[in-house]
Amino acid sequence: MVLDDWQRIEKVVRWAGLSVNAFALHIGLHRGENLYQIKRGNNGISKELAELIVARYPEISRAWLVTGEGEMFAGGTAVRSMIPVYDTDVICLAQMERLPQPAGQIVLPRAGAVSFAAPLLNRTMEPDLPNGALLLLAAVELADLLPGYAYLVVTDRMAVVRRVLRAEEDPEQLRLVAANPTYGEVRIGEYEIRALYRVKGYVWYEL
């Protein structure tokens, strides 16, 4: 069965693990309304939109996006990314000059682009991210920052996993907010960021 335009967009959005609005921002659109117009049947998937999606997610077939024919993934098979997994606390890992050999790999076909996975061994983000959860982290550029989401933020003086917000009084200042209210807020300047990783999700094993 050939999916209609909105069904194809929705399938990619779900595979990427984002909301429609976050997906729109992630591919370079100013707002999700452009995509919701497709849902309402007012627009189709243009070649320009397909190019934006494929530029961000090269695993997706451009031809499938535009026509609905063939397979969703380029090459005709679902891309199953092998994600390197580390057993070192993600904060310690982020402060290392060079990453060690991974402890293993996991396959999560629907995780989208993930750089690596490592455990968060503190309670700063509880209950959002449980102590001991294996975080799925994707390297992103500062220009792609989506305020309100959880990130691993690395500077020369620290590494933290926090929800990142822009300071209202100075948009070049970032507020790093813990989900756990017992931990204080940290503020940094954009210029201090050495590396930035979006928390795409987590894996939690309850023993």
Side-chain angles (χ1 to χ4, degrees):
M1 181 182 73
V2 176
L3 301 178
D4 65 29
D5 286 1
W6 172 249
Q7 288 172 328
R8 296 198 300 281
I9 291 293
E10 189 176 39
K11 190 171 182 179
V12 176
V13 170
R14 287 179 177 174
W15 171 81
L18 300 171
S19 68
V20 172
N21 287 328
F23 180 83
L25 290 171
H26 203 56
I27 63 173
L29 297 175
H30 294 300
R31 55 200 179 112
E33 181 61 26
N34 304 71
L35 301 181
Y36 284 119
Q37 287 295 332
I38 296 174
K39 184 177 184 179
R40 297 186 189 105
N42 297 331
N43 293 330
I45 300 175
S46 65
K47 290 182 178 178
E48 291 77 13
L49 176 59
E51 288 292 339
L52 286 175
I53 294 172
V54 172
R56 176 62 67 182
Y57 300 105
E59 305 97 323
I60 304 299
S61 165
R62 183 185 293 100
W64 175 81
L65 274 172
V66 175
T67 67
E69 297 178 0
E71 300 292 333
M72 173 178 170
F73 293 96
T77 57
V79 173
R80 294 174 172 262
S81 300
M82 299 296 293
I83 301 170
V85 178
Y86 298 91
D87 53 13
T88 305
D89 173 42
V90 69
I91 302 302
C92 296
L93 196 68
Q95 294 173 319
M96 293 180 181
E97 288 295 324
R98 181 180 297 177
L99 289 177
Q101 282 292 110
Q105 293 181 321
I106 56 174
V107 178
L108 294 173
R110 298 181 64 186
V114 174
S115 304
F116 67 93
L120 176 64
L121 301 178
N122 65 56
R123 301 185 182 280
T124 55
M125 292 302 291
E126 288 186 333
D128 295 358
L129 303 171
N131 178 25
L134 187 69
L135 303 188
L136 306 176
L137 298 154
V140 295
E141 298 295 330
L142 182 58
D144 296 324
L145 175 71
L146 300 174
Y149 285 87
Y151 289 85
L152 167 62
V153 181
V154 185
T155 71
D156 287 332
R157 59 188 175 91
M158 67 177 180
V160 293
V161 175
R162 299 287 174 92
R163 192 178 298 119
V164 180
L165 301 167
R166 292 194 182 278
E168 292 182 7
E169 67 278 10
D170 183 357
E172 293 186 359
Q173 285 279 314
L174 299 176
R175 299 170 52 213
L176 310 183
V177 182
N180 187 333
T182 61
Y183 291 85
E185 178 179 308
V186 177
R187 291 205 176 200
I188 62 170
E190 283 189 349
Y191 66 91
E192 295 182 64
I193 293 179
R194 183 160 53 88
L196 190 64
Y197 297 87
R198 168 126 183 255
V199 179
K200 295 285 295 287
Y202 68 88
V203 178
W204 172 246
Y205 299 100
E206 188 169 355
L207 301 177

